[in-house]
């Protein structure tokens, strides 16, 4: 059934603007959807431990069952197919594959079989798998053994062995690899703010261990080095026969000066983009080193690359993997000339929803930080393209919407998620416009396929194009109207 008439809409001129082989679909992450946290040999991850520690998750929920995707993937793939997608981005749980995580530790064949079956199911449905090796769930054993990423000497070889295992077992069928999902959010939320696993921070009222002034920068560095090793390993040992691509996915929202006419606010906005995005993107896609603004503020607390490491890291991604959601107005927090506290990890910023002349960053969602700001997305695509000139894969983008916290069956207008439709209409429209302006964009993955376990927010953030009844035994799925909207919009946009 065709519901949206794009030929007679403002989007008429965008028809066929996306390349024939454009990948579109939805993204998910293992800890957020799979459930089956301790079955068939899976080892615990740091997120399992967090979920079972009182006070760590807003609604005191766990991801023990989540969406039960481990049990229902054979139903989920056809559902996804009915949404019209041609690709699906999901992550592998390291501790399902190697329960203790380490390079000498045994492999769990049941875990391998689960992912292998999922991949086969997708391929049979003509859905291209995009596989993320790491979406935040470190095997707990490595956390206990040597504090995982805080000890790069021990961590890097363990991650490399895990990656090798995945390429060896799935690479005959998987041609699109992502090493890390959002190394920046992983480092900051887990080691600066502390709300994410492994709950480390200088905030002693809430967290027992950690040092916000140093650990996030070490953890970022460890991710870059291990990513780069895995990239080169893939290129040397697997790409010649498997012919796949591999890269890293970075988080990044747009930052706009609070007062567009103020040079100080303009500098603050650039610094925001550098702390959030160029932290990883400059070493990988640009200069090969951290941005000057970070070095200036962080000094030697920011690790340094050796010449050999720079060489290894620079150019170590076949594409720019982009996760993005919103935009902010920013200005300096601490005035010039005064010392920035060592715990500051965002580049000395203050954030605003409304700028100096009263313009709002966009419509509110059900999530405080997230507003519909397609204007910022357009600027971000341009900024990334101009600075790095590599093909862009949008690997996550989406929103929550108010009024979806109801009991099943969801009645009234709950499934008619107009707010989410408007979000996708505007953001996906910007992708098409950017492509028409010559920016090379090759994929778009909406976040997300199913309402799921949103980390420390538990089940309080519903990001899915499918409403999930978390009270029911089988986590019943109800398609929202945004799923139909996207199917028709991409049908209109992708060249035939
Ligand atoms: C991203 C993350 C996803 C999901 C999303 C929505 O940062 O990669 O796993 O949580 O945000 O908040």
């Amino acid at each position: 059934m065709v519901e949206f008439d794009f030929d007679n809409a403002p989007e008429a001129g965008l028809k066929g603007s996306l390349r024939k082989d454009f990948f579109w679909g939805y993204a998910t992450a293992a800890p957020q959807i799979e459930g089956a946290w301790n079955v068939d040999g899976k080892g615990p991850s740091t997120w399992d431990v967090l979920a079972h520690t009182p006070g760590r998750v807003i609604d005191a929920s766990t991801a023990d069952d989540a969406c039960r995707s481990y049990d229902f993937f054979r139903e989920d793939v056809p559902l996804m197919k009915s949404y019209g997608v041609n690709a699906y981005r999901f992550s592998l749980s390291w501790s399902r594959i190697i329960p203790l995580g380490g390079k000498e530790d045994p492999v769990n064949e049941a875990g391998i079989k689960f992912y292998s079956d999922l991949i086969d199911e997708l391929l049979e449905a003509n859905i291209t798998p995009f596989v993320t090796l790491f979406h935040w769930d470190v095997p707990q054993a490595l956390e206990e053994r040597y504090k995982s990423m805080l000890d790069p000497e021990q961590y890097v070889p363990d991650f490399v062995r895990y990656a090798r295992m995945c390429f060896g077992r799935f690479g005959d069928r998987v041609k699109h690899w992502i090493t890390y999902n959002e190394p920046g959010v992983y480092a900051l939320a887990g080691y600066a703010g502390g709300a994410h696993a492994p709950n480390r921070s200088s905030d002693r009222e809430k967290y027992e261990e950690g040092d916000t002034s140093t650990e996030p920068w070490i953890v970022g560095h460890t991710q870059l080095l291990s990513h780069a090793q895995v990239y080169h390993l893939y290129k040397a040992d697997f790409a010649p026969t498997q012919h796949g691509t591999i890269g890293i996915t970075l988080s990044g929202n747009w930052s706009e000066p609070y007062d567009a006419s103020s040079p100080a606010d303009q500098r603050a906005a650039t610094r925001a983009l550098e702390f959030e995005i160029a932290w990883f993107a400059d070493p990988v896609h640009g200069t090969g080193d951290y941005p000057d603004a970070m070095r200036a503020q962080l000094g030697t607390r920011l690790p340094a690359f050796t010449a050999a490491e720079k060489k290894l890291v620079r150019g170590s991604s076949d594409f720019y993997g982009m996760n993005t959601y919103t935009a902010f107005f920013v200005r300096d927090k601490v005035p010039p000339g005064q010392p920035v506290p060592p715990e500051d990890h965002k580049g000395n910023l203050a954030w605003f929803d409304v700028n100096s002349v009263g313009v709002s960053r966009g419509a509110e969602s059900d999530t405080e930080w997230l507003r519909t700001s397609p204007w910022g997305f357009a600027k971000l695509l341009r900024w990334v393209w101009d600075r790095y000139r590599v093909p862009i894969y949008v690997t996550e983008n989406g929103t929550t919407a108010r009024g979806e916290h109801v009991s099943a069956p969801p009645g009234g207008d709950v499934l008619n998620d107009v707010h989410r439709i408007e979000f996708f209409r505007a953001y996906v429209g910007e992708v098409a416009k950017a492509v028409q302006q010559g920016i090379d964009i090759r994929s778009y993955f909406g976040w997300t396929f199913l309402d799921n376990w949103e980390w420390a927010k538990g089940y309080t953030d519903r990001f899915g194009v499918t409403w999930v009844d978390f009270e029911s035994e089988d986590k019943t799925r109800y398609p929202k109207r945004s799923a139909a909207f996207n199917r028709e919009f991409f049908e209109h946009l992708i060249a035939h």
Side-chain angles (χ1 to χ4, degrees):
M1 193 188 83
V2 177
E3 202 188 335
F4 304 91
D5 181 9
F6 294 110
D7 288 331
N8 292 298
E11 290 85 359
L14 301 176
K15 193 181 179 108
S17 53
L18 302 181
R19 43 195 292 154
K20 248 187 161 140
D21 59 354
F22 192 89
F23 292 106
W24 92 271
Y26 297 98
T28 64
Q32 297 183 269
I33 63 163
E34 283 180 2
W37 75 290
N38 63 353
V39 308
D40 295 343
K42 178 179 169 294
S45 76
T46 48
W47 274 98
D48 293 320
V49 170
L50 179 152
H52 290 103
T53 307
R56 296 292 193 229
V57 180
I58 269 186
D59 57 3
S61 65
T62 69
D64 292 2
D65 297 323
C67 305
R68 294 190 60 194
S69 301
Y70 185 80
D71 302 315
F72 297 131
F73 71 96
R74 289 191 202 278
E75 285 83 42
D76 281 344
V77 172
L79 178 61
M80 222 183 283
K81 187 70 190 167
S82 79
Y83 291 174
V85 309
N86 62 29
Y88 174 48
R89 173 177 176 240
F90 61 96
S91 82
L92 308 176
S93 154
W94 182 347
S95 63
R96 199 181 284 295
I97 292 174
I98 307 170
L100 298 173
K103 62 183 195 310
E104 313 289 347
D105 294 322
V107 170
N108 178 30
E109 285 301 327
I112 301 254
K113 182 175 183 318
F114 166 64
Y115 292 115
S116 197
D117 288 349
L118 169 61
I119 291 161
D120 288 342
E121 196 79 18
L122 289 165
L123 291 174
E124 263 167 51
N126 266 322
I127 298 174
T128 302
F130 276 61
V131 177
T132 309
L133 294 174
F134 180 84
H135 200 128
W136 302 354
D137 47 344
V138 171
Q140 176 64 16
L142 301 187
E143 195 55 35
E144 287 170 15
R145 249 178 232 170
Y146 55 79
K147 296 200 168 68
S148 67
M149 292 187 200
L150 289 174
D151 185 343
E153 306 275 283
Q154 300 202 64
Y155 173 87
V156 177
D158 285 350
F159 184 69
V160 168
R161 186 276 189 133
Y162 160 58
R164 180 184 284 284
M165 178 70 53
C166 297
F167 300 147
R169 303 298 290 270
F170 310 125
D172 54 335
R173 290 154 293 157
V174 173
K175 306 300 168 192
H176 300 271
W177 293 99
I178 293 165
T179 54
Y180 282 93
N181 177 74
E182 302 190 348
V185 172
Y186 181 74
L188 296 186
Y191 294 82
H196 281 195
N199 289 134
R200 297 181 67 86
S201 167
S202 293
D203 180 352
R204 283 290 159 275
E205 279 179 17
K206 288 198 194 137
Y207 306 107
E208 282 148 38
E209 285 181 33
D211 181 349
T212 299
S213 74
T214 56
E215 291 185 359
W217 315 117
I218 297 168
V219 165
H221 204 70
T222 302
Q223 289 177 93
L224 278 171
L225 296 181
S226 52
H227 152 77
Q229 285 219 17
V230 163
Y231 175 87
H232 292 289
L233 159 78
Y234 183 76
K235 290 287 161 176
D237 294 359
F238 296 94
T241 51
Q242 297 184 351
H243 310 293
T245 58
I246 179 164
I248 189 165
T249 270
L250 306 179
S251 55
N253 296 309
W254 180 251
S255 286
E256 182 79 5
Y258 171 72
D259 175 352
S261 67
S262 148
D265 291 10
Q266 290 163 9
R267 281 194 298 275
T270 303
R271 203 172 59 241
L273 292 166
E274 292 183 343
F275 265 76
E276 190 179 355
I277 299 175
W279 173 14
F280 296 94
D282 276 10
V284 171
H285 298 289
T287 58
D289 206 347
Y290 295 121
D292 291 345
M294 292 185 77
R295 183 64 66 196
Q297 181 180 318
L298 304 170
T300 53
R301 286 185 283 122
L302 184 66
F305 293 105
T306 64
E309 286 170 350
K310 250 186 218 176
K311 216 173 134 222
L312 193 78
V313 172
R314 194 172 185 197
S316 64
S317 186
D318 295 335
F319 52 85
Y320 186 102
M322 178 188 284
N323 286 3
T324 190
Y325 288 84
T326 195
F328 297 97
F329 297 113
V330 300
R331 67 191 314 181
D332 291 344
K333 186 158 84 190
V334 173
Q338 289 187 30
V340 177
E343 286 74 31
D344 181 282
H345 46 274
K346 301 247 169 117
N348 183 29
L349 301 171
W351 293 271
F352 301 87
D353 289 332
V354 173
N355 73 4
S356 63
V357 292
V359 175
S360 156
R361 64 191 178 97
E364 293 174 36
S365 65
D366 198 31
T367 304
E368 211 203 334
W369 56 268
L370 208 181
R371 295 205 182 194
T372 304
S373 320
W375 58 272
F377 181 43
K379 291 187 180 195
L380 178 70
L381 288 167
R382 171 56 62 192
W383 188 83
V384 165
W385 176 246
D386 285 348
R387 191 166 171 124
Y388 303 117
R389 287 283 151 166
V390 276
I392 297 171
Y393 282 73
V394 178
T395 42
E396 271 182 37
N397 180 235
T399 188
T400 54
R402 289 185 176 157
E404 296 187 351
H405 299 286
V406 297
S407 344
D413 259 350
V414 172
L415 298 178
N416 181 16
D417 51 341
V418 174
H419 176 81
R420 189 173 289 100
I421 290 172
E422 284 173 358
F423 181 99
F424 282 130
R425 181 168 204 152
Y427 278 70
V428 175
E430 291 302 340
V431 170
K433 285 183 222 163
V435 167
Q436 286 185 333
Q437 291 159 16
I439 301 182
D440 185 355
I441 307 175
R442 303 191 182 182
S443 81
Y444 181 92
F445 290 92
W447 185 269
T448 179
F449 174 49
L450 305 169
D451 289 342
N452 62 35
W453 193 71
E454 175 62 18
W455 311 107
K457 301 282 278 304
Y459 298 103
T460 66
D461 266 352
R462 288 178 176 267
F463 271 92
V465 293
T466 312
W467 194 89
V468 175
D469 177 10
F470 293 108
E471 301 298 315
S472 68
E473 186 58 33
D474 60 356
K475 313 292 168 193
T476 316
R477 282 92 160 113
Y478 298 82
K480 300 180 194 176
R481 190 157 162 254
S482 54
F485 173 83
N486 280 341
R487 182 183 60 221
E488 292 183 29
F489 200 18
F490 279 100
E491 175 72 22
H492 174 75
L493 295 176
I494 296 178
H496 293 289

